Coordinates of all heavy atoms in Angstrom, one line a residue:
M1 N -1.2 -69.8 -40.8 CA -1.2 -69.3 -39.5 C 0.1 -68.7 -39.2 O 1.2 -69.3 -39.5 CB -1.5 -70.4 -38.4 CG -1.3 -69.9 -37.0 SD -1.5 -71.2 -35.8 CE -3.2 -71.7 -36.1
F2 N 0.1 -67.5 -38.5 CA 1.3 -66.9 -38.1 C 1.6 -67.2 -36.6 O 0.6 -67.2 -35.8 CB 1.2 -65.4 -38.3 CG 2.4 -64.6 -37.7 CD1 3.6 -64.6 -38.5 CD2 2.3 -64.0 -36.5 CE1 4.7 -63.9 -38.0 CE2 3.4 -63.3 -36.0 CZ 4.6 -63.2 -36.7
S3 N 2.8 -67.5 -36.3 CA 3.1 -67.9 -34.9 C 4.4 -67.2 -34.5 O 5.4 -67.1 -35.4 CB 3.3 -69.4 -34.7 OG 3.7 -69.7 -33.5
I4 N 4.5 -66.6 -33.3 CA 5.8 -66.0 -32.9 C 6.1 -66.3 -31.4 O 5.1 -66.4 -30.6 CB 5.7 -64.4 -33.1 CG1 7.0 -63.8 -32.9 CG2 4.6 -63.8 -32.2 CD1 7.1 -62.3 -33.4
G5 N 7.3 -66.4 -31.1 CA 7.8 -66.5 -29.7 C 8.7 -65.4 -29.4 O 9.5 -64.9 -30.2
Q6 N 8.5 -64.8 -28.2 CA 9.3 -63.7 -27.7 C 9.7 -64.0 -26.2 O 8.9 -64.7 -25.5 CB 8.6 -62.4 -27.8 CG 8.3 -62.0 -29.3 CD 7.5 -60.8 -29.4 OE1 6.6 -60.4 -28.5 NE2 7.7 -60.0 -30.4
A7 N 10.8 -63.4 -25.8 CA 11.2 -63.5 -24.4 C 11.5 -62.1 -23.8 O 12.1 -61.3 -24.6 CB 12.3 -64.5 -24.2
M8 N 11.2 -61.9 -22.6 CA 11.5 -60.7 -21.9 C 12.0 -61.0 -20.5 O 11.7 -62.1 -20.0 CB 10.2 -59.8 -21.8 CG 9.6 -59.4 -23.1 SD 7.8 -59.3 -23.1 CE 7.3 -61.0 -23.1
T9 N 12.7 -60.1 -19.9 CA 13.2 -60.3 -18.6 C 12.5 -59.3 -17.6 O 12.5 -58.1 -17.9 CB 14.8 -60.1 -18.5 OG1 15.4 -61.0 -19.5 CG2 15.3 -60.4 -17.1
L10 N 12.0 -59.9 -16.5 CA 11.4 -59.1 -15.5 C 12.4 -58.3 -14.7 O 13.5 -58.8 -14.4 CB 10.6 -60.0 -14.5 CG 9.3 -60.6 -15.1 CD1 8.9 -61.8 -14.2 CD2 8.2 -59.5 -15.1
R11 N 12.0 -57.1 -14.3 CA 12.8 -56.4 -13.3 C 12.6 -57.1 -11.9 O 11.6 -57.7 -11.7 CB 12.4 -55.0 -13.1 CG 12.6 -54.1 -14.4 CD 12.1 -52.7 -14.1 NE 12.3 -51.9 -15.3 CZ 13.4 -51.2 -15.6 NH1 14.4 -51.3 -14.8 NH2 13.4 -50.4 -16.7
P12 N 13.6 -57.0 -11.0 CA 13.4 -57.7 -9.7 C 12.2 -57.1 -9.0 O 12.0 -55.9 -9.0 CB 14.7 -57.2 -8.9 CG 15.7 -57.0 -10.0 CD 15.0 -56.5 -11.2
G13 N 11.3 -58.0 -8.5 CA 10.1 -57.6 -7.9 C 9.0 -57.2 -8.8 O 8.0 -56.7 -8.3
G14 N 9.2 -57.3 -10.1 CA 8.2 -56.7 -11.0 C 7.0 -57.7 -11.4 O 6.1 -57.2 -12.0
Y15 N 7.1 -58.9 -11.0 CA 6.2 -59.9 -11.5 C 4.7 -59.7 -11.0 O 3.8 -59.7 -11.8 CB 6.6 -61.3 -11.2 CG 5.6 -62.4 -11.7 CD1 5.4 -62.6 -13.0 CD2 4.8 -63.1 -10.8 CE1 4.5 -63.5 -13.5 CE2 3.9 -64.1 -11.3 CZ 3.8 -64.2 -12.6 OH 2.8 -65.1 -13.1
A16 N 4.6 -59.3 -9.7 CA 3.2 -59.2 -9.2 C 2.4 -58.1 -9.9 O 1.3 -58.3 -10.3 CB 3.3 -58.9 -7.7
E17 N 3.0 -57.0 -10.2 CA 2.3 -55.9 -10.9 C 2.2 -56.2 -12.4 O 1.1 -55.9 -13.0 CB 3.1 -54.6 -10.7 CG 2.8 -53.9 -9.4 CD 1.3 -53.5 -9.3 OE1 0.9 -52.6 -10.0 OE2 0.7 -54.1 -8.4
Y18 N 3.2 -56.9 -13.0 CA 3.0 -57.3 -14.3 C 1.8 -58.2 -14.5 O 1.0 -58.1 -15.4 CB 4.3 -58.0 -14.8 CG 4.3 -58.6 -16.2 CD1 4.7 -57.8 -17.3 CD2 3.8 -59.9 -16.4 CE1 4.6 -58.4 -18.5 CE2 3.7 -60.4 -17.7 CZ 4.1 -59.6 -18.8 OH 4.1 -60.1 -20.0
K19 N 1.7 -59.2 -13.6 CA 0.6 -60.2 -13.6 C -0.7 -59.5 -13.4 O -1.7 -59.7 -14.0 CB 0.9 -61.2 -12.5 CG -0.2 -62.2 -12.4 CD 0.1 -63.4 -13.2 CE -0.8 -64.6 -12.8 NZ -1.5 -65.1 -14.0
R20 N -0.7 -58.5 -12.4 CA -2.0 -57.8 -12.2 C -2.5 -57.0 -13.4 O -3.6 -57.1 -13.8 CB -1.8 -56.8 -11.0 CG -3.1 -56.1 -10.6 CD -2.9 -55.1 -9.5 NE -2.1 -53.9 -9.9 CZ -2.6 -52.9 -10.5 NH1 -3.9 -52.9 -11.0 NH2 -1.8 -51.8 -10.8
Y21 N -1.5 -56.3 -14.1 CA -1.9 -55.6 -15.3 C -2.5 -56.6 -16.3 O -3.5 -56.3 -17.0 CB -0.8 -54.9 -15.9 CG -0.7 -53.4 -15.4 CD1 0.0 -53.1 -14.3 CD2 -1.4 -52.4 -16.1 CE1 0.0 -51.8 -13.8 CE2 -1.3 -51.1 -15.7 CZ -0.6 -50.8 -14.5 OH -0.6 -49.5 -14.1
H22 N -1.9 -57.8 -16.5 CA -2.4 -58.7 -17.5 C -3.7 -59.4 -17.1 O -4.5 -59.7 -17.9 CB -1.3 -59.7 -17.8 CG -0.2 -59.2 -18.7 ND1 0.8 -58.3 -18.2 CD2 0.0 -59.3 -20.0 CE1 1.5 -58.0 -19.2 NE2 1.1 -58.6 -20.3
N23 N -3.9 -59.6 -15.8 CA -5.2 -60.1 -15.3 C -6.3 -59.1 -15.5 O -7.5 -59.4 -15.6 CB -5.1 -60.5 -13.8 CG -4.3 -61.7 -13.6 OD1 -4.1 -62.5 -14.5 ND2 -3.9 -61.9 -12.4
E24 N -5.9 -57.8 -15.5 CA -6.9 -56.7 -15.7 C -6.6 -56.0 -17.0 O -6.7 -54.7 -17.1 CB -6.8 -55.7 -14.5 CG -7.1 -56.4 -13.2 CD -6.7 -55.5 -12.0 OE1 -6.4 -54.3 -12.2 OE2 -6.8 -56.0 -10.9
I25 N -6.4 -56.7 -18.1 CA -6.0 -56.1 -19.4 C -7.0 -55.1 -19.8 O -8.2 -55.2 -19.6 CB -5.9 -57.3 -20.5 CG1 -5.2 -56.7 -21.7 CG2 -7.2 -57.9 -20.7 CD1 -4.7 -57.7 -22.7
W26 N -6.5 -54.0 -20.4 CA -7.4 -52.9 -20.8 C -8.4 -53.4 -21.8 O -8.0 -54.1 -22.8 CB -6.5 -51.8 -21.4 CG -5.5 -51.2 -20.4 CD1 -5.5 -51.3 -19.1 CD2 -4.4 -50.4 -20.8 NE1 -4.4 -50.6 -18.6 CE2 -3.8 -50.0 -19.6 CE3 -3.9 -49.9 -22.0 CZ2 -2.6 -49.2 -19.6 CZ3 -2.8 -49.1 -22.0 CH2 -2.2 -48.8 -20.8
P27 N -9.6 -53.1 -21.7 CA -10.6 -53.6 -22.7 C -10.3 -53.2 -24.1 O -10.6 -54.0 -25.0 CB -11.9 -52.9 -22.2 CG -11.7 -52.7 -20.7 CD -10.2 -52.4 -20.6
D28 N -9.8 -52.0 -24.3 CA -9.6 -51.6 -25.7 C -8.4 -52.4 -26.3 O -8.4 -52.7 -27.5 CB -9.4 -50.1 -25.9 CG -8.4 -49.5 -24.8 OD1 -8.2 -50.1 -23.8 OD2 -7.9 -48.4 -25.1
L29 N -7.4 -52.7 -25.5 CA -6.3 -53.6 -26.0 C -6.8 -55.0 -26.3 O -6.5 -55.6 -27.3 CB -5.2 -53.6 -24.9 CG -3.9 -54.4 -25.3 CD1 -3.3 -53.8 -26.6 CD2 -2.9 -54.3 -24.2
A30 N -7.6 -55.5 -25.4 CA -8.2 -56.9 -25.6 C -9.0 -56.8 -26.9 O -9.0 -57.8 -27.7 CB -9.1 -57.3 -24.5
A31 N -9.8 -55.8 -27.2 CA -10.6 -55.7 -28.4 C -9.7 -55.6 -29.6 O -10.1 -56.3 -30.6 CB -11.5 -54.4 -28.3
I32 N -8.6 -54.9 -29.6 CA -7.7 -54.9 -30.8 C -7.2 -56.3 -31.1 O -7.1 -56.7 -32.2 CB -6.6 -53.9 -30.5 CG1 -7.1 -52.5 -30.5 CG2 -5.4 -54.1 -31.5 CD1 -6.1 -51.4 -29.9
M33 N -6.8 -57.0 -30.0 CA -6.3 -58.4 -30.2 C -7.4 -59.3 -30.8 O -7.2 -60.0 -31.7 CB -5.6 -58.9 -29.0 CG -4.3 -58.2 -28.6 SD -3.4 -59.0 -27.3 CE -4.5 -59.0 -25.9
S34 N -8.6 -59.2 -30.2 CA -9.7 -60.0 -30.6 C -10.1 -59.7 -32.0 O -10.3 -60.6 -32.9 CB -10.9 -59.8 -29.7 OG -10.6 -60.3 -28.4
D35 N -10.1 -58.4 -32.4 CA -10.5 -58.0 -33.7 C -9.5 -58.5 -34.8 O -9.9 -58.8 -35.9 CB -10.5 -56.5 -33.9 CG -11.7 -55.8 -33.1 OD1 -12.6 -56.6 -32.7 OD2 -11.7 -54.6 -33.0
N36 N -8.3 -58.7 -34.4 CA -7.2 -59.3 -35.3 C -7.0 -60.8 -35.1 O -6.0 -61.3 -35.6 CB -5.9 -58.5 -35.1 CG -6.1 -57.1 -35.8 OD1 -6.1 -57.0 -37.0 ND2 -6.2 -56.1 -34.9
E37 N -7.8 -61.4 -34.3 CA -7.8 -62.9 -34.0 C -6.4 -63.3 -33.5 O -5.9 -64.4 -33.8 CB -8.2 -63.6 -35.3 CG -9.5 -63.3 -35.8 CD -9.8 -64.0 -37.1 OE1 -9.9 -65.2 -37.1 OE2 -10.0 -63.3 -38.1
V38 N -5.9 -62.5 -32.6 CA -4.6 -62.8 -32.0 C -4.8 -63.5 -30.7 O -5.6 -63.0 -29.8 CB -3.8 -61.5 -31.8 CG1 -2.5 -61.8 -30.9 CG2 -3.4 -60.8 -33.1
S39 N -4.1 -64.6 -30.5 CA -4.2 -65.3 -29.2 C -2.7 -65.3 -28.6 O -1.8 -65.5 -29.4 CB -4.6 -66.7 -29.4 OG -6.0 -66.7 -29.8
I40 N -2.6 -65.1 -27.3 CA -1.3 -65.0 -26.7 C -1.3 -65.8 -25.4 O -2.3 -65.7 -24.6 CB -1.0 -63.5 -26.3 CG1 -0.9 -62.7 -27.6 CG2 0.3 -63.4 -25.5 CD1 -0.6 -61.2 -27.4
A41 N -0.2 -66.5 -25.2 CA 0.0 -67.1 -23.9 C 1.4 -66.7 -23.4 O 2.4 -66.6 -24.2 CB 0.0 -68.7 -24.0
I42 N 1.5 -66.3 -22.2 CA 2.8 -65.9 -21.6 C 3.1 -66.8 -20.4 O 2.3 -67.0 -19.5 CB 2.8 -64.4 -21.2 CG1 2.4 -63.5 -22.4 CG2 4.2 -64.0 -20.6 CD1 2.2 -62.0 -22.0
F43 N 4.3 -67.3 -20.4 CA 4.8 -68.3 -19.4 C 5.9 -67.7 -18.6 O 6.8 -66.9 -19.2 CB 5.2 -69.6 -20.1 CG 4.2 -70.2 -20.9 CD1 4.1 -70.0 -22.3 CD2 3.2 -71.1 -20.3 CE1 3.1 -70.5 -23.0 CE2 2.2 -71.7 -21.1 CZ 2.2 -71.4 -22.4
L44 N 6.0 -68.0 -17.4 CA 7.0 -67.5 -16.5 C 8.1 -68.6 -16.3 O 7.7 -69.8 -16.0 CB 6.4 -67.1 -15.1 CG 7.4 -66.7 -14.0 CD1 8.1 -65.4 -14.4 CD2 6.6 -66.5 -12.7
L45 N 9.3 -68.3 -16.4 CA 10.5 -69.2 -16.2 C 11.5 -68.4 -15.5 O 12.3 -67.6 -16.1 CB 11.0 -69.7 -17.6 CG 12.2 -70.6 -17.5 CD1 11.8 -71.9 -16.7 CD2 12.7 -71.0 -18.9
G46 N 11.6 -68.6 -14.2 CA 12.5 -67.8 -13.4 C 12.1 -66.3 -13.5 O 11.0 -65.9 -13.1
N47 N 13.1 -65.5 -13.9 CA 12.8 -64.1 -14.1 C 12.5 -63.7 -15.6 O 12.5 -62.6 -16.0 CB 13.9 -63.2 -13.6 CG 15.2 -63.3 -14.5 OD1 15.4 -64.3 -15.2 ND2 16.1 -62.4 -14.4
R48 N 12.3 -64.8 -16.4 CA 12.0 -64.6 -17.8 C 10.5 -64.9 -18.1 O 9.9 -65.7 -17.5 CB 12.9 -65.5 -18.7 CG 14.3 -65.3 -18.5 CD 14.9 -64.2 -19.4 NE 14.9 -64.6 -20.8 CZ 15.1 -63.7 -21.8 NH1 15.3 -62.4 -21.5 NH2 15.2 -64.1 -23.0
L49 N 10.0 -64.1 -19.0 CA 8.7 -64.3 -19.6 C 8.8 -64.8 -21.0 O 9.6 -64.2 -21.8 CB 7.9 -63.0 -19.5 CG 7.6 -62.4 -18.1 CD1 7.1 -61.0 -18.2 CD2 6.6 -63.3 -17.4
V50 N 8.1 -65.8 -21.3 CA 8.2 -66.4 -22.7 C 6.8 -66.3 -23.3 O 5.8 -66.8 -22.7 CB 8.7 -67.8 -22.7 CG1 8.7 -68.4 -24.1 CG2 10.0 -67.9 -22.1
L51 N 6.6 -65.5 -24.3 CA 5.4 -65.3 -25.0 C 5.2 -66.1 -26.2 O 6.2 -66.2 -27.0 CB 5.3 -63.8 -25.4 CG 4.1 -63.3 -26.2 CD1 3.7 -61.9 -25.8 CD2 4.4 -63.4 -27.7
H52 N 4.1 -66.7 -26.4 CA 3.8 -67.4 -27.7 C 2.5 -66.8 -28.2 O 1.5 -66.8 -27.4 CB 3.6 -68.9 -27.5 CG 3.3 -69.6 -28.8 ND1 2.2 -70.4 -28.9 CD2 3.9 -69.5 -30.0 CE1 2.2 -70.8 -30.2 NE2 3.2 -70.3 -30.8
A53 N 2.5 -66.3 -29.4 CA 1.3 -65.7 -30.0 C 1.0 -66.3 -31.3 O 1.9 -66.7 -32.0 CB 1.5 -64.2 -30.1
V54 N -0.3 -66.4 -31.7 CA -0.7 -66.9 -33.0 C -1.7 -65.9 -33.5 O -2.5 -65.3 -32.7 CB -1.2 -68.3 -32.9 CG1 -0.2 -69.3 -32.6 CG2 -2.4 -68.4 -32.0
A55 N -1.8 -65.8 -34.8 CA -2.7 -65.0 -35.5 C -3.0 -65.7 -36.9 O -2.1 -66.4 -37.3 CB -2.2 -63.6 -35.7
P56 N -4.1 -65.4 -37.6 CA -4.3 -66.0 -38.9 C -3.2 -65.7 -39.9 O -2.8 -66.6 -40.6 CB -5.6 -65.4 -39.3 CG -6.3 -65.0 -38.1 CD -5.2 -64.6 -37.1
T57 N -2.7 -64.5 -39.9 CA -1.6 -64.1 -40.8 C -0.7 -63.1 -40.1 O -1.0 -62.5 -39.0 CB -2.1 -63.4 -42.0 OG1 -2.7 -62.1 -41.7 CG2 -3.1 -64.3 -42.8
K58 N 0.5 -62.8 -40.7 CA 1.4 -61.8 -40.1 C 0.8 -60.4 -40.2 O 1.0 -59.6 -39.3 CB 2.7 -61.8 -40.8 CG 3.8 -60.9 -40.2 CD 5.1 -61.0 -40.8 CE 6.2 -60.2 -40.1 NZ 5.8 -58.8 -39.8
A59 N -0.1 -60.2 -41.2 CA -0.8 -58.9 -41.3 C -1.7 -58.7 -40.1 O -1.8 -57.6 -39.6 CB -1.5 -58.9 -42.6
H60 N -2.4 -59.7 -39.6 CA -3.2 -59.6 -38.4 C -2.3 -59.3 -37.2 O -2.7 -58.4 -36.4 CB -3.9 -61.0 -38.2 CG -5.1 -61.2 -39.1 ND1 -4.9 -61.8 -40.3 CD2 -6.4 -61.1 -38.9 CE1 -6.1 -61.9 -40.9 NE2 -7.0 -61.5 -40.1
W61 N -1.2 -59.9 -37.1 CA -0.3 -59.7 -36.0 C 0.2 -58.2 -36.0 O 0.2 -57.5 -35.1 CB 0.9 -60.7 -36.0 CG 1.9 -60.4 -35.0 CD1 3.2 -59.8 -35.3 CD2 1.9 -60.5 -33.6 NE1 3.9 -59.7 -34.1 CE2 3.1 -60.1 -33.1 CE3 0.9 -61.0 -32.7 CZ2 3.5 -60.2 -31.7 CZ3 1.2 -61.1 -31.4 CH2 2.5 -60.6 -30.9
D62 N 0.6 -57.8 -37.2 CA 1.1 -56.4 -37.4 C 0.1 -55.4 -37.1 O 0.4 -54.4 -36.4 CB 1.7 -56.2 -38.8 CG 3.0 -57.0 -39.1 OD1 3.6 -57.5 -38.1 OD2 3.3 -57.2 -40.3
R63 N -1.1 -55.6 -37.5 CA -2.2 -54.7 -37.2 C -2.4 -54.6 -35.7 O -2.7 -53.5 -35.2 CB -3.5 -55.1 -37.9 CG -3.6 -54.7 -39.3 CD -5.0 -54.8 -39.9 NE -5.6 -56.1 -39.7 CZ -5.5 -57.1 -40.6 NH1 -4.9 -56.9 -41.7 NH2 -6.1 -58.2 -40.4
S64 N -2.3 -55.7 -35.0 CA -2.6 -55.7 -33.5 C -1.4 -55.0 -32.8 O -1.6 -54.6 -31.7 CB -2.8 -57.1 -33.0 OG -1.5 -57.8 -33.0
N65 N -0.3 -54.8 -33.5 CA 0.9 -54.2 -32.8 C 1.1 -52.8 -33.2 O 2.1 -52.2 -32.7 CB 2.1 -55.1 -33.1 CG 2.2 -56.3 -32.2 OD1 2.7 -56.1 -31.1 ND2 1.7 -57.4 -32.7
N66 N 0.4 -52.2 -34.1 CA 0.6 -50.9 -34.6 C -0.6 -50.0 -34.2 O -1.4 -49.7 -35.1 CB 0.8 -50.9 -36.1 CG 2.1 -51.6 -36.5 OD1 3.1 -51.4 -35.9 ND2 2.0 -52.5 -37.5
N67 N -0.6 -49.6 -33.0 CA -1.7 -48.7 -32.5 C -1.3 -48.0 -31.3 O -0.4 -48.4 -30.5 CB -3.0 -49.5 -32.3 CG -2.8 -50.6 -31.3 OD1 -2.8 -50.3 -30.1 ND2 -2.7 -51.8 -31.7
A68 N -1.9 -46.9 -31.0 CA -1.6 -46.0 -29.9 C -1.8 -46.7 -28.5 O -1.1 -46.5 -27.6 CB -2.4 -44.7 -29.9
T69 N -2.9 -47.6 -28.5 CA -3.2 -48.3 -27.2 C -2.0 -49.2 -26.8 O -1.6 -49.2 -25.6 CB -4.5 -49.1 -27.3 OG1 -5.5 -48.2 -27.7 CG2 -4.8 -49.8 -26.1
L70 N -1.5 -49.9 -27.8 CA -0.4 -50.8 -27.4 C 0.9 -50.0 -27.1 O 1.6 -50.4 -26.2 CB -0.1 -51.8 -28.6 CG 1.0 -52.8 -28.3 CD1 0.5 -53.7 -27.1 CD2 1.3 -53.6 -29.5
E71 N 1.1 -48.9 -27.7 CA 2.2 -48.1 -27.3 C 2.1 -47.6 -25.9 O 3.1 -47.6 -25.1 CB 2.3 -46.9 -28.2 CG 2.8 -47.2 -29.6 CD 2.9 -46.0 -30.5 OE1 3.0 -44.8 -30.1 OE2 2.8 -46.2 -31.8
K72 N 0.9 -47.2 -25.4 CA 0.7 -46.8 -24.0 C 0.9 -48.0 -23.1 O 1.5 -47.9 -22.0 CB -0.7 -46.3 -23.8 CG -0.9 -44.9 -24.5 CD -2.3 -44.5 -24.4 CE -2.6 -43.2 -25.2 NZ -4.0 -42.8 -25.2
W73 N 0.4 -49.2 -23.5 CA 0.6 -50.4 -22.7 C 2.1 -50.7 -22.5 O 2.5 -51.0 -21.4 CB -0.2 -51.6 -23.4 CG 0.0 -52.9 -22.7 CD1 0.9 -53.9 -23.0 CD2 -0.8 -53.4 -21.6 NE1 0.7 -55.0 -22.2 CE2 -0.4 -54.7 -21.3 CE3 -1.9 -52.9 -20.9 CZ2 -0.9 -55.5 -20.3 CZ3 -2.5 -53.7 -19.9 CH2 -2.0 -55.0 -19.6
Q74 N 2.8 -50.7 -23.6 CA 4.2 -51.0 -23.6 C 5.0 -50.0 -22.7 O 5.9 -50.4 -22.1 CB 4.8 -51.1 -25.0 CG 4.3 -52.3 -25.8 CD 4.7 -52.3 -27.2 OE1 4.9 -51.2 -27.9 NE2 4.7 -53.5 -27.8
A75 N 4.6 -48.8 -22.7 CA 5.2 -47.8 -21.8 C 5.0 -48.2 -20.4 O 5.9 -48.0 -19.6 CB 4.6 -46.4 -22.1
V76 N 3.8 -48.6 -20.0 CA 3.6 -49.1 -18.7 C 4.4 -50.3 -18.3 O 5.0 -50.4 -17.2 CB 2.1 -49.4 -18.4 CG1 1.8 -50.0 -17.1 CG2 1.2 -48.1 -18.6
M77 N 4.5 -51.2 -19.3 CA 5.3 -52.5 -19.0 C 6.8 -52.2 -18.7 O 7.4 -53.0 -18.1 CB 5.2 -53.4 -20.2 CG 3.8 -54.0 -20.4 SD 3.2 -54.9 -19.0 CE 2.0 -53.8 -18.3
T78 N 7.3 -51.0 -19.1 CA 8.7 -50.7 -18.9 C 9.0 -50.6 -17.4 O 10.1 -50.7 -16.9 CB 9.2 -49.5 -19.6 OG1 8.5 -48.3 -19.1 CG2 9.0 -49.6 -21.1
R79 N 7.9 -50.5 -16.6 CA 8.1 -50.4 -15.1 C 8.5 -51.8 -14.6 O 9.1 -51.9 -13.5 CB 6.8 -50.0 -14.4 CG 6.3 -48.7 -14.7 CD 5.0 -48.4 -14.0 NE 4.2 -47.4 -14.6 CZ 2.9 -47.3 -14.4 NH1 2.3 -48.0 -13.5 NH2 2.2 -46.4 -15.1
F80 N 8.1 -52.9 -15.3 CA 8.2 -54.2 -14.8 C 9.2 -55.1 -15.6 O 9.6 -56.1 -15.2 CB 6.9 -55.0 -14.9 CG 5.7 -54.1 -14.4 CD1 4.7 -53.8 -15.3 CD2 5.7 -53.6 -13.1 CE1 3.7 -52.9 -14.9 CE2 4.7 -52.7 -12.7 CZ 3.6 -52.4 -13.6
L81 N 9.6 -54.6 -16.8 CA 10.5 -55.3 -17.7 C 11.8 -54.6 -17.9 O 11.8 -53.4 -17.8 CB 9.9 -55.5 -19.1 CG 8.5 -56.3 -19.1 CD1 7.9 -56.2 -20.5 CD2 8.7 -57.7 -18.6
E82 N 12.9 -55.4 -18.1 CA 14.2 -54.7 -18.3 C 14.1 -54.0 -19.6 O 13.4 -54.4 -20.6 CB 15.3 -55.8 -18.4 CG 15.6 -56.3 -17.1 CD 16.9 -57.2 -17.1 OE1 17.5 -57.5 -18.2 OE2 17.3 -57.6 -16.0
T83 N 14.8 -52.8 -19.7 CA 14.7 -51.9 -20.8 C 16.1 -51.7 -21.4 O 17.1 -51.9 -20.7 CB 14.1 -50.6 -20.4 OG1 14.9 -50.0 -19.4 CG2 12.7 -50.7 -20.0
D84 N 16.2 -51.2 -22.6 CA 17.4 -50.8 -23.2 C 17.8 -49.4 -22.9 O 17.0 -48.8 -22.1 CB 17.4 -51.1 -24.8 CG 16.3 -50.2 -25.5 OD1 15.9 -49.2 -24.9 OD2 16.0 -50.6 -26.6
Q85 N 18.8 -48.9 -23.4 CA 19.3 -47.5 -23.1 C 18.3 -46.4 -23.5 O 18.3 -45.4 -22.9 CB 20.6 -47.2 -23.7 CG 21.7 -48.1 -23.1 CD 23.1 -47.9 -23.8 OE1 23.1 -47.3 -24.9 NE2 24.1 -48.2 -23.1
S86 N 17.4 -46.7 -24.5 CA 16.4 -45.8 -24.9 C 15.1 -45.8 -24.1 O 14.2 -45.1 -24.3 CB 16.1 -45.9 -26.4 OG 15.4 -47.2 -26.6
G87 N 15.1 -46.8 -23.1 CA 13.9 -46.9 -22.3 C 12.8 -47.9 -22.8 O 11.8 -48.0 -22.2
K88 N 13.1 -48.6 -23.9 CA 12.1 -49.5 -24.4 C 12.4 -50.9 -23.8 O 13.5 -51.3 -23.6 CB 12.2 -49.6 -25.9 CG 11.7 -48.3 -26.6 CD 11.6 -48.5 -28.1 CE 11.0 -47.3 -28.7 NZ 10.5 -47.5 -30.0
S89 N 11.3 -51.7 -23.6 CA 11.4 -53.0 -23.1 C 12.2 -53.8 -24.1 O 12.1 -53.7 -25.3 CB 10.1 -53.7 -22.9 OG 9.3 -53.0 -21.9
I90 N 13.1 -54.7 -23.5 CA 13.9 -55.6 -24.3 C 13.1 -56.8 -24.6 O 12.7 -57.5 -23.7 CB 15.2 -55.9 -23.6 CG1 16.1 -54.7 -23.4 CG2 16.0 -56.9 -24.5 CD1 17.3 -54.9 -22.4
V91 N 12.8 -57.0 -25.9 CA 12.0 -58.2 -26.3 C 12.8 -58.9 -27.3 O 13.2 -58.4 -28.4 CB 10.7 -57.7 -27.0 CG1 9.9 -58.9 -27.4 CG2 9.9 -56.9 -26.0
D92 N 13.2 -60.2 -27.0 CA 14.0 -61.0 -27.9 C 13.0 -61.9 -28.6 O 12.2 -62.6 -28.0 CB 14.9 -61.9 -27.1 CG 15.9 -61.1 -26.2 OD1 16.5 -60.2 -26.8 OD2 16.1 -61.4 -25.0
T93 N 13.1 -61.9 -30.0 CA 12.3 -62.8 -30.8 C 13.0 -64.1 -30.8 O 14.2 -64.2 -31.0 CB 12.1 -62.2 -32.2 OG1 11.4 -61.0 -32.1 CG2 11.3 -63.2 -33.1
L94 N 12.2 -65.2 -30.5 CA 12.8 -66.5 -30.4 C 12.8 -67.2 -31.8 O 11.8 -67.1 -32.5 CB 12.0 -67.3 -29.4 CG 11.9 -66.7 -28.0 CD1 11.0 -67.5 -27.1 CD2 13.3 -66.6 -27.4
E95 N 13.8 -67.9 -32.1 CA 13.9 -68.7 -33.3 C 13.2 -70.0 -33.1 O 13.5 -70.7 -32.1 CB 15.3 -68.9 -33.7 CG 15.5 -69.7 -35.0 CD 16.9 -69.9 -35.4 OE1 17.8 -69.0 -35.1 OE2 17.2 -70.9 -36.0
P96 N 12.3 -70.4 -34.0 CA 11.6 -71.7 -33.8 C 12.7 -72.9 -33.9 O 13.5 -72.9 -34.8 CB 10.7 -71.8 -35.0 CG 10.5 -70.4 -35.4 CD 11.7 -69.7 -35.1
A97 N 12.7 -73.7 -32.9 CA 13.6 -74.9 -32.8 C 12.9 -76.1 -33.4 O 13.6 -77.0 -33.9 CB 14.1 -75.1 -31.4
F98 N 11.6 -76.2 -33.3 CA 10.8 -77.3 -33.8 C 9.4 -76.8 -33.9 O 8.9 -76.2 -33.0 CB 10.9 -78.5 -32.8 CG 10.1 -79.7 -33.2 CD1 10.5 -80.5 -34.3 CD2 8.9 -79.9 -32.6 CE1 9.7 -81.6 -34.7 CE2 8.1 -81.0 -33.0 CZ 8.5 -81.8 -34.0
V99 N 8.7 -77.2 -35.0 CA 7.3 -77.0 -35.2 C 6.6 -78.2 -35.7 O 7.3 -79.0 -36.4 CB 7.0 -75.8 -36.1 CG1 7.5 -74.5 -35.5 CG2 7.7 -76.0 -37.5
F100 N 5.4 -78.4 -35.3 CA 4.6 -79.6 -35.7 C 3.2 -79.2 -35.8 O 2.7 -78.3 -35.1 CB 4.9 -80.7 -34.7 CG 4.2 -82.0 -35.1 CD1 4.8 -82.9 -36.0 CD2 3.0 -82.3 -34.5 CE1 4.2 -84.0 -36.3 CE2 2.3 -83.5 -34.9 CZ 2.9 -84.4 -35.8
G101 N 2.4 -80.0 -36.5 CA 1.0 -79.8 -36.6 C 0.6 -78.4 -37.1 O 1.1 -78.0 -38.1
M102 N -0.3 -77.8 -36.5 CA -0.8 -76.5 -37.0 C 0.2 -75.4 -37.1 O 0.0 -74.4 -37.8 CB -2.0 -76.0 -36.2 CG -1.7 -75.6 -34.8 SD -3.3 -75.1 -34.0 CE -2.6 -74.1 -32.7
F103 N 1.4 -75.6 -36.4 CA 2.4 -74.5 -36.5 C 3.3 -74.7 -37.6 O 4.1 -73.8 -38.0 CB 3.2 -74.5 -35.2 CG 2.3 -74.2 -34.0 CD1 2.0 -75.1 -33.0 CD2 1.8 -72.9 -33.8 CE1 1.2 -74.8 -32.0 CE2 1.0 -72.6 -32.7 CZ 0.7 -73.6 -31.8
K104 N 3.3 -75.9 -38.3 CA 4.2 -76.2 -39.4 C 3.6 -75.4 -40.6 O 2.5 -75.6 -41.0 CB 4.2 -77.7 -39.7 CG 5.4 -78.1 -40.6 CD 5.5 -79.5 -40.5 CE 6.8 -79.9 -41.3 NZ 7.1 -81.3 -41.2
G105 N 4.5 -74.5 -41.2 CA 4.0 -73.7 -42.2 C 4.5 -74.0 -43.5 O 4.3 -73.6 -44.6

């Protein structure tokens, strides 16, 4: 099983729209994730979002992340998330501090 943690920072006042988009996730994006057996949970901590995702393999995860639909989604997310100088959302990959059970690889 492949597991990844990421963190992003919300722009001030961006949470409500961020949440609305995720509550109304685009059907084609949901289908891509489902087809690749990707499961995602995103947690709110202050102005930070912490994502935990799992997939059967890294290849499944990579396939779910390499498509035009996700690129369009990520462009929309830049309205709600802090971005770098090139305009892309800043996504920090988290280093695992502890793993147990099904996450232990």
